[in-house]
């Protein structure tokens, strides 16, 4: 039976340490370009920001003094819905952007990113569940906790992505800490911080990402 | 002499810079299409195509073709043999640098 001959690799016999270093540099550069190449969409960041602003507005208009214990289910329902919409938006735009730059959303790198982001999101979900069970204990501190959990996810994802993601993570970390520390009667409250971070930060990030890497 | 013997492990299929770039890129990202590799490595269509053919002929990468809408899309991914060869190559380079 005919069997196709597999070409045998040829092995190189002589080279120099300088050449070896040069080749290691080529490897590092190519790997960095491939992993740091952003499939994150600028437009997605802007839409996620607008959704967050809509969530803040809806909270302000329909769920007064949230997170108010009497409104805990409406509050968590609203923000769970907003978060799901953000996930769907981000997924669809990432898929579209990935196709444009010659990658797939389900590439091993995409899976790395999802795995890196997961712990922060799970922690955020756990704290939200804690709020539903004990609303009086967490109250409006939930906003700050969400920011810190999201910051943890972004900083993990930032290790495999462009530096703007890490910058956004640090901004959320600082804002989350500030939100937990501001006194209750301060000139701006946790909800304003929520609008500034999940709304404003995302819109600014999306606009920059779109300008720098594409929409 | 030990360092010289280790150089024998430098696989000439990968040793060429463009092929090394292709393998490095595919190892890092898992899979990429032609246009992405071209942009990431800054090489011409013809040059990249030639080197991809060499890697495919040696069983270091797999090629899959599909249509996205009406446009053809060719995706490349490293095979287990390619991964093994790449890892051995990097190990040999590192050993060489350490030995100096």
């Amino acid at each position: 039976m005919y069997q196709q001959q597999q070409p045998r690799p040829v092995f190189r016999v002589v080279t120099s340490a300088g050449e070896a270093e040069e080749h290691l540099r080529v490897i590092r550069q190519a790997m960095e370009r491939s992993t740091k190449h952003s499939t994150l969409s600028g437009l997605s960041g802007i839409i996620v920001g607008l959704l967050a602003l809509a969530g803040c507005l809806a909270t302000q208009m329909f769920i007064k003094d949230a997170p108010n214990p009497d409104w805990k289910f409406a509050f968590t329902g609203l923000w769970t819905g907003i978060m799901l919409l953000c996930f769907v938006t981000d997924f669809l735009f990432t898929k579209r952007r990935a196709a444009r730059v010659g990658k797939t959303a389900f590439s091993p790198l995409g899976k790395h990113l999802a795995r890196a982001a997961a712990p922060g999101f799970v922690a955020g979900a756990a704290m939200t569940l804690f709020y539903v069970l004990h609303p009086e204990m967490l109250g409006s501190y939930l906003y700050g906790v969400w920011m810190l959990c999201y910051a943890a996810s972004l900083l993990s994802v930032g290790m495999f992505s462009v530096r703007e993601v890490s910058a956004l993570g640090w901004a959320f970390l600082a804002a989350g800490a500030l939100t937990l520390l501001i006194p209750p009667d301060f000139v701006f409250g946790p909800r304003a911080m929520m609008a500034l971070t999940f709304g404003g930060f995302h819109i600014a990030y999306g606009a920059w990402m779109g300008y720098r890497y594409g929409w | 002499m030990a360092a010289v013997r280790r150089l024998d492990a430098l696989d000439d299929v990968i040793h060429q810079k463009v092929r090394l770039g292709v393998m490095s890129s595919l190892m890092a990202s898992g899979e990429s299409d032609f246009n992405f590799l071209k942009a990431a490595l800054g090489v011409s269509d013809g040059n990249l195509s030639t080197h991809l053919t060499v890697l495919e002929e040696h069983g270091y990468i797999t090629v899959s073709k599909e249509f996205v809408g009406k446009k053809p899309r060719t995706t490349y991914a490293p095979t287990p043999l390619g991964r093994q060869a790449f890892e051995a190559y990097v190990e040999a380079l590192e050993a060489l640098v350490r030995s100096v």
Side-chain angles (χ1 to χ4, degrees):
Chain A
M1 197 168 73
Y2 173 76
Q3 215 175 7
Q4 196 182 351
Q5 281 284 313
Q6 188 74 263
R8 285 175 63 82
V10 186
F11 290 98
R12 195 174 181 83
V13 179
V14 180
T15 188
S16 69
E19 202 179 357
E21 275 176 1
E22 166 67 7
H23 279 229
L24 284 171
R25 192 188 58 75
V26 170
I27 292 170
R28 198 163 41 241
Q29 210 172 42
M31 284 185 140
E32 272 174 11
R33 277 186 195 158
S34 304
T35 53
K36 299 281 178 187
H37 202 289
S38 172
T39 55
L40 304 167
S41 154
L43 205 53
S44 165
I46 291 177
I47 293 175
V48 164
L50 291 174
L51 283 169
L53 284 180
C56 289
L57 198 65
T59 306
Q60 164 82 21
M61 289 171 68
F62 306 114
I63 314 168
K64 306 277 187 226
D65 301 321
N68 184 318
D70 298 334
W71 287 84
K72 63 181 185 183
F73 290 115
F75 177 80
T76 46
L78 170 73
W79 282 103
T80 304
I82 297 274
M83 197 187 68
L84 289 175
L85 271 176
C86 290
F87 269 131
V88 171
T89 303
D90 194 47
F91 174 73
L92 292 177
F93 277 93
T94 299
K95 206 173 155 201
R96 174 175 157 271
R97 174 106 184 100
R100 280 190 179 182
V101 297
K103 296 178 87 71
T104 57
F106 294 110
S107 68
L109 179 61
K111 286 175 193 162
H112 274 311
L113 294 182
R115 263 200 296 270
F121 280 104
V122 172
M127 289 308 290
T128 307
L129 187 62
F130 177 80
Y131 163 75
V132 171
L133 297 173
H134 311 283
E136 68 291 345
M137 289 177 78
L138 203 53
S140 60
Y141 289 116
L142 182 61
Y143 288 125
V145 170
W146 278 349
M147 288 173 212
L148 292 179
C149 292
Y150 188 53
S153 282
L154 287 173
L155 288 168
S156 301
V157 169
M159 286 189 214
F160 304 99
S161 191
V162 290
R163 63 181 171 191
E164 284 82 350
V165 177
S166 296
L168 185 66
W170 284 111
F172 263 94
L173 196 68
L178 182 69
T179 305
L180 292 177
L181 295 175
I182 49 175
D185 53 351
F186 200 60
V187 65
F188 58 85
R191 200 184 320 125
M193 287 298 287
M194 185 77 179
L196 173 73
T197 55
F198 282 94
F201 284 8
H202 272 134
I203 291 172
Y205 160 84
W208 172 254
M209 291 293 279
Y211 166 74
R212 179 98 195 262
Y213 302 103
W215 299 97
Chain B
M1 275 312 283
V4 174
R5 270 199 300 276
R6 271 198 293 271
L7 301 185
D8 293 348
L10 287 181
D11 186 340
D12 211 34
V13 175
I14 298 179
H15 193 70
Q16 207 284 338
K17 269 190 197 170
V18 177
R19 294 200 287 267
L20 182 62
V22 169
M23 284 306 293
S24 306
S25 181
L26 294 179
M27 287 292 286
S29 65
E31 62 171 20
S32 298
D33 79 358
F34 189 88
N35 289 334
F36 177 82
L37 287 172
K38 200 177 97 174
L41 303 172
V43 289
S44 68
D45 283 16
N47 193 5
L48 179 60
S49 189
T50 307
H51 291 296
L52 286 168
T53 304
V54 173
L55 289 170
E56 190 192 356
E57 279 173 355
H58 282 84
Y60 285 9
I61 60 170
T62 55
V63 183
S64 42
K65 293 176 192 239
E66 57 174 347
F67 274 89
V68 180
K70 287 180 181 173
K71 287 184 182 171
R73 181 164 181 256
T74 311
T75 312
Y76 303 89
T79 62
L81 178 68
R83 286 179 180 279
Q84 205 181 351
F86 180 82
E87 280 158 12
Y89 182 84
V90 173
E91 230 168 76
L93 282 183
E94 284 172 346
L96 173 62
V97 172
R98 274 199 304 269
S99 69
V100 176

